[in-house]
Amino acid sequence: RLKEGAAINVSLSALGNVIAALSEKKRGHVPYRDSKLTRLLQDSLGGNSVTVMLCNASPAAVNAEETLSALRFAERAKRIENVATINRDPKAARAAALYEENKVLQAKVARLEAHIAELEKWYG
């Protein structure tokens, strides 16, 4: 149990380091590889996603230190700002552009055919 508790504390410490690095205005190296937990949460914390983090606070005086620590952690996590980008496949974007161009050209062909039919009716 002691080893398991120590491993959990190491993972939580690494998570704190990642959140501290992400909450800085000037981002440098973010140590995601320091633990399995931060590696699993990499896309959620610093990626292109919306993440919700809950902080548990206890009103008991016995847990005051843990509650204060959790609130400090939540304050750091609240300062993380990610810039989301739309994940688009360049081929799909090109296909959509070609589809729109095709629709415009089909409408133009239909207008020209109608105009030709009108001219043939007058001069034909």
Side-chain angles (χ1 to χ4, degrees), residues 43-94:
D43 291 334
S44 298
L45 293 173
N48 195 16
S49 63
V50 176
T51 304
V52 176
M53 191 175 293
L54 301 175
C55 176
N56 190 13
S58 173
V62 175
N63 299 327
E65 190 174 323
E66 281 186 36
T67 299
L68 191 58
S69 175
L71 290 173
R72 283 190 197 116
F73 180 81
E75 179 63 31
R76 282 196 320 250
K78 188 171 78 169
R79 284 187 268 146
I80 295 174
E81 291 183 20
N82 289 333
V83 178
T85 57
I86 298 173
N87 295 330
R88 287 207 174 141
D89 181 18
K91 291 179 183 178
R94 179 73 176 138

Short mmCIF file of all heavy atoms in Angstrom, two decimals, residues 43-94:
data_model
loop_
_atom_site.label_atom_id
_atom_site.label_comp_id
_atom_site.label_asym_id
_atom_site.label_seq_id
_atom_site.Cartn_x
_atom_site.Cartn_y
_atom_site.Cartn_z
N ASP A 43 -4.13 15.00 -24.09
CA ASP A 43 -5.06 15.60 -25.04
C ASP A 43 -6.15 16.40 -24.33
O ASP A 43 -6.63 17.40 -24.85
CB ASP A 43 -5.69 14.53 -25.93
CG ASP A 43 -4.68 13.92 -26.89
OD1 ASP A 43 -3.71 14.62 -27.22
OD2 ASP A 43 -4.86 12.76 -27.28
N SER A 44 -6.55 15.94 -23.15
CA SER A 44 -7.60 16.64 -22.42
C SER A 44 -7.10 17.95 -21.82
O SER A 44 -7.83 18.94 -21.79
CB SER A 44 -8.14 15.76 -21.30
OG SER A 44 -8.72 14.61 -21.82
N LEU A 45 -5.88 17.96 -21.33
CA LEU A 45 -5.37 19.16 -20.65
C LEU A 45 -4.85 20.21 -21.62
O LEU A 45 -5.16 21.38 -21.51
CB LEU A 45 -4.26 18.78 -19.67
CG LEU A 45 -4.69 17.96 -18.47
CD1 LEU A 45 -3.48 17.51 -17.69
CD2 LEU A 45 -5.63 18.75 -17.60
N GLY A 46 -4.03 19.81 -22.55
CA GLY A 46 -3.39 20.79 -23.42
C GLY A 46 -3.77 20.64 -24.87
O GLY A 46 -3.19 21.27 -25.74
N GLY A 47 -4.75 19.82 -25.14
CA GLY A 47 -5.11 19.55 -26.52
C GLY A 47 -6.27 20.39 -27.00
O GLY A 47 -6.53 21.48 -26.51
N ASN A 48 -6.96 19.84 -27.93
CA ASN A 48 -8.03 20.54 -28.62
C ASN A 48 -9.37 20.01 -28.10
O ASN A 48 -10.14 19.43 -28.84
CB ASN A 48 -7.88 20.28 -30.11
CG ASN A 48 -8.69 21.24 -30.92
OD1 ASN A 48 -9.14 22.25 -30.43
ND2 ASN A 48 -8.90 20.92 -32.17
N SER A 49 -9.62 20.17 -26.80
CA SER A 49 -10.84 19.63 -26.22
C SER A 49 -11.31 20.52 -25.07
O SER A 49 -10.58 21.37 -24.58
CB SER A 49 -10.60 18.21 -25.72
OG SER A 49 -9.63 18.22 -24.69
N VAL A 50 -12.54 20.27 -24.67
CA VAL A 50 -13.10 20.95 -23.51
C VAL A 50 -13.02 19.97 -22.35
O VAL A 50 -13.44 18.83 -22.47
CB VAL A 50 -14.57 21.36 -23.76
CG1 VAL A 50 -15.17 21.96 -22.51
CG2 VAL A 50 -14.66 22.31 -24.92
N THR A 51 -12.45 20.40 -21.24
CA THR A 51 -12.25 19.53 -20.09
C THR A 51 -12.89 20.15 -18.86
O THR A 51 -12.78 21.35 -18.65
CB THR A 51 -10.74 19.33 -19.84
OG1 THR A 51 -10.14 18.82 -21.03
CG2 THR A 51 -10.50 18.35 -18.72
N VAL A 52 -13.54 19.32 -18.08
CA VAL A 52 -14.13 19.76 -16.81
C VAL A 52 -13.36 19.08 -15.70
O VAL A 52 -13.13 17.88 -15.72
CB VAL A 52 -15.63 19.38 -16.73
CG1 VAL A 52 -16.20 19.74 -15.38
CG2 VAL A 52 -16.40 20.04 -17.83
N MET A 53 -12.94 19.88 -14.70
CA MET A 53 -12.23 19.33 -13.57
C MET A 53 -12.99 19.73 -12.31
O MET A 53 -13.36 20.89 -12.14
CB MET A 53 -10.80 19.86 -13.52
CG MET A 53 -9.93 19.13 -12.54
SD MET A 53 -8.21 19.65 -12.61
CE MET A 53 -7.71 19.09 -14.19
N LEU A 54 -13.25 18.75 -11.44
CA LEU A 54 -13.98 19.00 -10.21
C LEU A 54 -13.02 19.03 -9.03
O LEU A 54 -12.05 18.27 -8.99
CB LEU A 54 -15.03 17.92 -9.97
CG LEU A 54 -16.08 17.75 -11.06
CD1 LEU A 54 -16.97 16.58 -10.75
CD2 LEU A 54 -16.89 19.01 -11.22
N CYS A 55 -13.30 19.89 -8.08
CA CYS A 55 -12.48 20.01 -6.88
C CYS A 55 -13.37 19.68 -5.68
O CYS A 55 -14.43 20.27 -5.51
CB CYS A 55 -11.92 21.43 -6.77
SG CYS A 55 -11.00 21.70 -5.26
N ASN A 56 -12.94 18.74 -4.87
CA ASN A 56 -13.71 18.33 -3.71
C ASN A 56 -13.20 19.08 -2.48
O ASN A 56 -12.01 19.03 -2.17
CB ASN A 56 -13.59 16.82 -3.52
CG ASN A 56 -14.54 16.30 -2.49
OD1 ASN A 56 -15.45 16.99 -2.08
ND2 ASN A 56 -14.33 15.06 -2.08
N ALA A 57 -14.09 19.78 -1.78
CA ALA A 57 -13.72 20.53 -0.59
C ALA A 57 -14.51 20.00 0.59
O ALA A 57 -15.69 19.69 0.48
CB ALA A 57 -14.01 22.01 -0.78
N SER A 58 -13.84 19.89 1.73
CA SER A 58 -14.48 19.37 2.93
C SER A 58 -14.66 20.49 3.95
O SER A 58 -13.74 21.27 4.18
CB SER A 58 -13.63 18.25 3.54
OG SER A 58 -14.15 17.85 4.79
N PRO A 59 -15.82 20.57 4.59
CA PRO A 59 -16.02 21.61 5.61
C PRO A 59 -15.40 21.25 6.96
O PRO A 59 -15.34 22.10 7.84
CB PRO A 59 -17.55 21.69 5.72
CG PRO A 59 -18.02 20.33 5.35
CD PRO A 59 -17.04 19.82 4.33
N ALA A 60 -14.90 20.04 7.12
CA ALA A 60 -14.34 19.61 8.40
C ALA A 60 -13.00 20.29 8.64
O ALA A 60 -12.17 20.44 7.75
CB ALA A 60 -14.18 18.10 8.40
N ALA A 61 -12.77 20.68 9.88
CA ALA A 61 -11.52 21.35 10.26
C ALA A 61 -10.33 20.40 10.12
O ALA A 61 -9.21 20.84 9.84
CB ALA A 61 -11.61 21.86 11.69
N VAL A 62 -10.57 19.11 10.25
CA VAL A 62 -9.50 18.12 10.12
C VAL A 62 -8.92 18.13 8.71
O VAL A 62 -7.73 17.92 8.51
CB VAL A 62 -10.05 16.71 10.47
CG1 VAL A 62 -9.01 15.65 10.24
CG2 VAL A 62 -10.55 16.68 11.89
N ASN A 63 -9.77 18.40 7.72
CA ASN A 63 -9.35 18.36 6.32
C ASN A 63 -9.04 19.74 5.74
O ASN A 63 -8.99 19.90 4.52
CB ASN A 63 -10.46 17.71 5.47
CG ASN A 63 -10.74 16.29 5.89
OD1 ASN A 63 -9.83 15.58 6.31
ND2 ASN A 63 -11.98 15.88 5.79
N ALA A 64 -8.83 20.71 6.59
CA ALA A 64 -8.62 22.09 6.13
C ALA A 64 -7.39 22.20 5.22
O ALA A 64 -7.44 22.87 4.19
CB ALA A 64 -8.49 23.03 7.31
N GLU A 65 -6.31 21.52 5.58
CA GLU A 65 -5.09 21.61 4.79
C GLU A 65 -5.27 20.99 3.40
O GLU A 65 -4.86 21.57 2.39
CB GLU A 65 -3.94 20.92 5.53
CG GLU A 65 -2.58 21.18 4.90
CD GLU A 65 -1.46 20.61 5.74
OE1 GLU A 65 -1.54 20.64 6.97
OE2 GLU A 65 -0.51 20.12 5.12
N GLU A 66 -5.92 19.83 3.37
CA GLU A 66 -6.18 19.18 2.08
C GLU A 66 -7.12 20.01 1.22
O GLU A 66 -6.94 20.12 0.01
CB GLU A 66 -6.79 17.80 2.29
CG GLU A 66 -5.79 16.75 2.67
CD GLU A 66 -6.42 15.37 2.73
OE1 GLU A 66 -7.30 15.09 1.89
OE2 GLU A 66 -6.02 14.59 3.60
N THR A 67 -8.14 20.60 1.83
CA THR A 67 -9.10 21.43 1.10
C THR A 67 -8.41 22.65 0.52
O THR A 67 -8.63 23.01 -0.64
CB THR A 67 -10.26 21.85 2.02
OG1 THR A 67 -10.93 20.67 2.47
CG2 THR A 67 -11.23 22.75 1.30
N LEU A 68 -7.55 23.28 1.32
CA LEU A 68 -6.82 24.45 0.84
C LEU A 68 -5.90 24.08 -0.32
O LEU A 68 -5.83 24.80 -1.32
CB LEU A 68 -6.02 25.08 1.98
CG LEU A 68 -5.41 26.43 1.72
CD1 LEU A 68 -6.50 27.45 1.34
CD2 LEU A 68 -4.67 26.92 2.95
N SER A 69 -5.23 22.94 -0.21
CA SER A 69 -4.36 22.47 -1.28
C SER A 69 -5.17 22.19 -2.55
O SER A 69 -4.74 22.54 -3.66
CB SER A 69 -3.62 21.22 -0.83
OG SER A 69 -2.86 20.68 -1.87
N ALA A 70 -6.32 21.56 -2.39
CA ALA A 70 -7.17 21.26 -3.54
C ALA A 70 -7.67 22.54 -4.20
O ALA A 70 -7.74 22.63 -5.43
CB ALA A 70 -8.35 20.39 -3.11
N LEU A 71 -8.01 23.54 -3.41
CA LEU A 71 -8.48 24.81 -3.97
C LEU A 71 -7.36 25.54 -4.71
O LEU A 71 -7.60 26.17 -5.74
CB LEU A 71 -9.07 25.69 -2.87
CG LEU A 71 -10.40 25.19 -2.30
CD1 LEU A 71 -10.81 26.03 -1.10
CD2 LEU A 71 -11.48 25.20 -3.36
N ARG A 72 -6.14 25.47 -4.20
CA ARG A 72 -5.01 26.07 -4.92
C ARG A 72 -4.79 25.37 -6.25
O ARG A 72 -4.52 26.01 -7.28
CB ARG A 72 -3.74 25.98 -4.07
CG ARG A 72 -3.67 26.98 -2.97
CD ARG A 72 -2.29 26.99 -2.33
NE ARG A 72 -2.34 27.63 -1.05
CZ ARG A 72 -2.09 27.04 0.12
NH1 ARG A 72 -1.70 25.78 0.15
NH2 ARG A 72 -2.19 27.71 1.23
N PHE A 73 -4.88 24.04 -6.22
CA PHE A 73 -4.75 23.25 -7.44
C PHE A 73 -5.83 23.63 -8.45
O PHE A 73 -5.55 23.83 -9.63
CB PHE A 73 -4.84 21.76 -7.08
CG PHE A 73 -4.71 20.84 -8.24
CD1 PHE A 73 -3.46 20.52 -8.74
CD2 PHE A 73 -5.83 20.28 -8.83
CE1 PHE A 73 -3.33 19.65 -9.81
CE2 PHE A 73 -5.71 19.41 -9.90
CZ PHE A 73 -4.46 19.10 -10.38
N ALA A 74 -7.06 23.77 -7.98
CA ALA A 74 -8.18 24.14 -8.87
C ALA A 74 -7.98 25.54 -9.44
O ALA A 74 -8.31 25.79 -10.60
CB ALA A 74 -9.50 24.06 -8.11
N GLU A 75 -7.42 26.45 -8.65
CA GLU A 75 -7.16 27.81 -9.14
C GLU A 75 -6.14 27.79 -10.27
O GLU A 75 -6.28 28.48 -11.27
CB GLU A 75 -6.66 28.69 -7.99
CG GLU A 75 -6.33 30.10 -8.38
CD GLU A 75 -7.54 30.87 -8.90
OE1 GLU A 75 -8.66 30.60 -8.46
OE2 GLU A 75 -7.35 31.75 -9.76
N ARG A 76 -5.09 26.98 -10.11
CA ARG A 76 -4.10 26.85 -11.19
C ARG A 76 -4.72 26.22 -12.42
O ARG A 76 -4.47 26.64 -13.55
CB ARG A 76 -2.91 26.01 -10.73
CG ARG A 76 -1.94 26.75 -9.86
CD ARG A 76 -0.61 26.03 -9.76
NE ARG A 76 -0.73 24.60 -9.65
CZ ARG A 76 -0.45 23.88 -8.57
NH1 ARG A 76 -0.04 24.49 -7.48
NH2 ARG A 76 -0.57 22.57 -8.56
N ALA A 77 -5.54 25.20 -12.22
CA ALA A 77 -6.18 24.51 -13.36
C ALA A 77 -7.15 25.45 -14.08
O ALA A 77 -7.31 25.36 -15.29
CB ALA A 77 -6.93 23.27 -12.86
N LYS A 78 -7.76 26.36 -13.34
CA LYS A 78 -8.72 27.30 -13.94
C LYS A 78 -8.02 28.27 -14.89
O LYS A 78 -8.63 28.76 -15.84
CB LYS A 78 -9.43 28.07 -12.82
CG LYS A 78 -10.56 28.93 -13.29
CD LYS A 78 -11.35 29.49 -12.12
CE LYS A 78 -10.62 30.64 -11.51
NZ LYS A 78 -11.43 31.38 -10.54
N ARG A 79 -6.75 28.52 -14.68
CA ARG A 79 -6.02 29.47 -15.52
C ARG A 79 -5.53 28.89 -16.83
O ARG A 79 -4.96 29.61 -17.65
CB ARG A 79 -4.83 30.02 -14.74
CG ARG A 79 -5.23 31.07 -13.72
CD ARG A 79 -4.03 31.71 -13.09
NE ARG A 79 -3.72 30.94 -11.88
CZ ARG A 79 -2.51 30.73 -11.41
NH1 ARG A 79 -1.47 31.21 -12.02
NH2 ARG A 79 -2.34 30.02 -10.31
N ILE A 80 -5.75 27.61 -17.07
CA ILE A 80 -5.33 26.99 -18.33
C ILE A 80 -6.22 27.50 -19.45
O ILE A 80 -7.44 27.47 -19.35
CB ILE A 80 -5.42 25.45 -18.27
CG1 ILE A 80 -4.45 24.91 -17.25
CG2 ILE A 80 -5.14 24.85 -19.64
CD1 ILE A 80 -4.58 23.42 -17.03
N GLU A 81 -5.60 28.00 -20.51
CA GLU A 81 -6.34 28.46 -21.68
C GLU A 81 -5.76 27.78 -22.91
O GLU A 81 -4.59 27.91 -23.21
CB GLU A 81 -6.23 29.98 -21.83
CG GLU A 81 -6.97 30.75 -20.77
CD GLU A 81 -6.91 32.25 -20.98
OE1 GLU A 81 -6.64 32.67 -22.13
OE2 GLU A 81 -7.12 32.96 -20.01
N ASN A 82 -6.62 27.07 -23.60
CA ASN A 82 -6.22 26.41 -24.84
C ASN A 82 -6.87 27.13 -26.01
O ASN A 82 -7.96 27.68 -25.88
CB ASN A 82 -6.65 24.95 -24.86
CG ASN A 82 -5.83 24.12 -23.90
OD1 ASN A 82 -4.70 24.45 -23.60
ND2 ASN A 82 -6.42 23.05 -23.41
N VAL A 83 -6.21 27.11 -27.13
CA VAL A 83 -6.78 27.67 -28.36
C VAL A 83 -7.26 26.50 -29.20
O VAL A 83 -6.46 25.71 -29.68
CB VAL A 83 -5.73 28.50 -29.12
CG1 VAL A 83 -6.30 29.03 -30.40
CG2 VAL A 83 -5.20 29.63 -28.24
N ALA A 84 -8.56 26.39 -29.32
CA ALA A 84 -9.13 25.28 -30.07
C ALA A 84 -9.09 25.57 -31.56
O ALA A 84 -9.32 26.69 -32.00
CB ALA A 84 -10.57 25.04 -29.63
N THR A 85 -8.78 24.55 -32.30
CA THR A 85 -8.80 24.65 -33.76
C THR A 85 -9.71 23.56 -34.30
O THR A 85 -9.84 22.49 -33.69
CB THR A 85 -7.40 24.48 -34.37
OG1 THR A 85 -6.86 23.23 -33.96
CG2 THR A 85 -6.48 25.60 -33.95
N ILE A 86 -10.33 23.83 -35.41
CA ILE A 86 -11.21 22.84 -36.02
C ILE A 86 -10.36 21.83 -36.75
O ILE A 86 -9.52 22.19 -37.58
CB ILE A 86 -12.20 23.51 -36.99
CG1 ILE A 86 -13.09 24.48 -36.23
CG2 ILE A 86 -13.02 22.48 -37.72
CD1 ILE A 86 -13.97 25.32 -37.12
N ASN A 87 -10.56 20.57 -36.41
CA ASN A 87 -9.81 19.50 -37.07
C ASN A 87 -10.46 19.21 -38.41
O ASN A 87 -11.55 18.66 -38.47
CB ASN A 87 -9.82 18.24 -36.20
CG ASN A 87 -9.10 18.45 -34.90
OD1 ASN A 87 -8.16 19.23 -34.82
ND2 ASN A 87 -9.53 17.75 -33.87
N ARG A 88 -9.78 19.60 -39.46
CA ARG A 88 -10.31 19.37 -40.80
C ARG A 88 -9.28 18.62 -41.63
O ARG A 88 -8.10 18.95 -41.62
CB ARG A 88 -10.61 20.70 -41.49
CG ARG A 88 -11.81 21.37 -40.94
CD ARG A 88 -12.45 22.24 -41.97
NE ARG A 88 -13.70 22.75 -41.43
CZ ARG A 88 -14.13 23.96 -41.63
NH1 ARG A 88 -13.45 24.80 -42.36
NH2 ARG A 88 -15.27 24.35 -41.11
N ASP A 89 -9.79 17.66 -42.35
CA ASP A 89 -8.95 16.92 -43.27
C ASP A 89 -8.78 17.77 -44.52
O ASP A 89 -9.78 18.22 -45.10
CB ASP A 89 -9.63 15.59 -43.61
CG ASP A 89 -8.81 14.73 -44.55
OD1 ASP A 89 -7.60 14.98 -44.67
OD2 ASP A 89 -9.39 13.80 -45.14
N PRO A 90 -7.56 18.05 -44.96
CA PRO A 90 -7.37 18.89 -46.15
C PRO A 90 -8.05 18.32 -47.39
O PRO A 90 -8.56 19.06 -48.23
CB PRO A 90 -5.86 18.96 -46.34
CG PRO A 90 -5.23 18.28 -45.20
CD PRO A 90 -6.29 17.63 -44.39
N LYS A 91 -8.09 16.99 -47.50
CA LYS A 91 -8.74 16.38 -48.66
C LYS A 91 -10.25 16.61 -48.61
O LYS A 91 -10.87 16.87 -49.64
CB LYS A 91 -8.44 14.89 -48.70
CG LYS A 91 -6.99 14.58 -49.03
CD LYS A 91 -6.74 13.10 -49.05
CE LYS A 91 -5.27 12.82 -49.31
NZ LYS A 91 -4.99 11.39 -49.28
N ALA A 92 -10.82 16.52 -47.41
CA ALA A 92 -12.26 16.75 -47.28
C ALA A 92 -12.60 18.21 -47.56
O ALA A 92 -13.62 18.51 -48.19
CB ALA A 92 -12.73 16.35 -45.88
N ALA A 93 -11.74 19.13 -47.11
CA ALA A 93 -11.96 20.55 -47.38
C ALA A 93 -11.88 20.82 -48.88
O ALA A 93 -12.69 21.57 -49.44
CB ALA A 93 -10.94 21.40 -46.63
N ARG A 94 -10.92 20.21 -49.54
CA ARG A 94 -10.78 20.38 -51.00
C ARG A 94 -11.98 19.78 -51.72
O ARG A 94 -12.50 20.37 -52.68
CB ARG A 94 -9.48 19.71 -51.47
CG ARG A 94 -9.24 19.79 -52.95
CD ARG A 94 -8.85 21.17 -53.40
NE ARG A 94 -8.55 21.15 -54.82
CZ ARG A 94 -8.92 22.07 -55.66
NH1 ARG A 94 -9.55 23.14 -55.24
NH2 ARG A 94 -8.63 21.97 -56.93
#
